[in-house]
Amino acid sequence: MRALVTGVAGQDGSLLAELLLQEGHEVVGTIRRDAPTPPGVETVYADLLDPDSLRHAVAGAAADRVFHLAAPTFVPESWAQPVETFTAIAAATAVILDAATAARPEARIFLASSGEVFGDACESPQRESSPMRPRTPYGVAKLAALQLGRVWRERGAHVSSGILYNHESERRPERFVTRKVTRGAAAIALGLQDELVLGDLDAVRDWSAARDLMRAALLMVAQDEPRDYVLASGRGRTVHELVATAFAAAGLDPEGRVRVDPAFVRPPETTPQVGDASLARERLGWEPATSFEELIAQMVRTDLDDLRRGSA
Ligand code: GDP
């Protein structure tokens, strides 16, 4: 089996590529610029803002499985770059669907969607049938891409979208709150930093291990019947709880070491972003393997090791 993974240098792409290689698949991955990718992956250049490059990559790969994971991922940035965000998410998804089904009509396609599609859903946790009322340009673009997947599916293509809630690993960049906190806790534990500066400590997110959600993506494309699934832990936690977990893993007391800077505070959210993955559990037999505590502790351990090496 030959799989194409867009965004193979990213957190999700690299984790998924590793799983695919372990299962014995050939993996072709798109990259936007030179970047490290898992050993064994064949790479091809493609830019989400350049449809010809995407078509070329998809047609050249002639893959049986297409995992479209490449996308801008930092939600607040979508207010600064709404047009690029919409093009890179929605228009690029149309190109992928069109090119992948033209190259191989029976190809099975996975699209990475987001819990941001629900926005002001007015119900929490959200499931597949919850109202979708995104509140950011990013969420609107992800909803357009999700709907493109549905209309291609209605026309007979094997397209499934994973509605992914926050998912983390030691590969998460530091602008995301989990990595910022685990890195900060590690730096404070090693005496390299005095305090951690954050935004809203009461903000709620539903965090999972990225590897667990990528395993669910594999289960989704293995189903005869394509459909969309919410993939989440089902448990909302505050940034405050995240801080407590990371500091405990680093052997620290957060008291007096965390400061709030309004620059990092986002507008309040009316509906807590928490996902109900019951459908995935029932129909795919999916179970997350890593608890929140284990995930954060692993990230803290990686950060302690990195920083010790860096300062040595
Ligand atoms: P997102 O959910 O995809 O935007 O992922 P993030 O990892 O950026 O998490 C964002 C959540 O953490 C939001 O609810 C933020 O309000 C909250 N948060 C609190 N402090 C910070 C911070 O310093 N940086 C970031 N990125 N988010 C923060």
Side-chain angles (χ1 to χ4, degrees), residues 74-75 166 175-177 180 198-200 203 205 239 264 266:
F74 196 52
V75 178
N166 296 51
R175 61 182 188 278
F176 291 91
V177 73
K180 185 174 175 183
L198 292 170
D200 184 0
R205 282 290 182 272
V239 172
F264 293 111
R266 302 185 193 174

Side-chain angles (χ1 to χ4, degrees), residues 30-33 44-50 53-55 57-58:
T30 71
I31 52 173
R32 192 168 29 145
R33 59 176 104 85
V44 53
Y45 285 94
D47 187 328
L48 296 173
L49 297 176
D50 173 2
S53 71
L54 277 182
R55 275 186 196 286
V58 173

Side-chain angles (χ1 to χ4, degrees), residues 56 64 102 135 151 155 164 295 301:
H56 186 255
D64 314 284
R135 307 262 331 261
V151 298
R155 303 246 296 195
L164 312 178
L295 168 69
R301 268 200 303 278

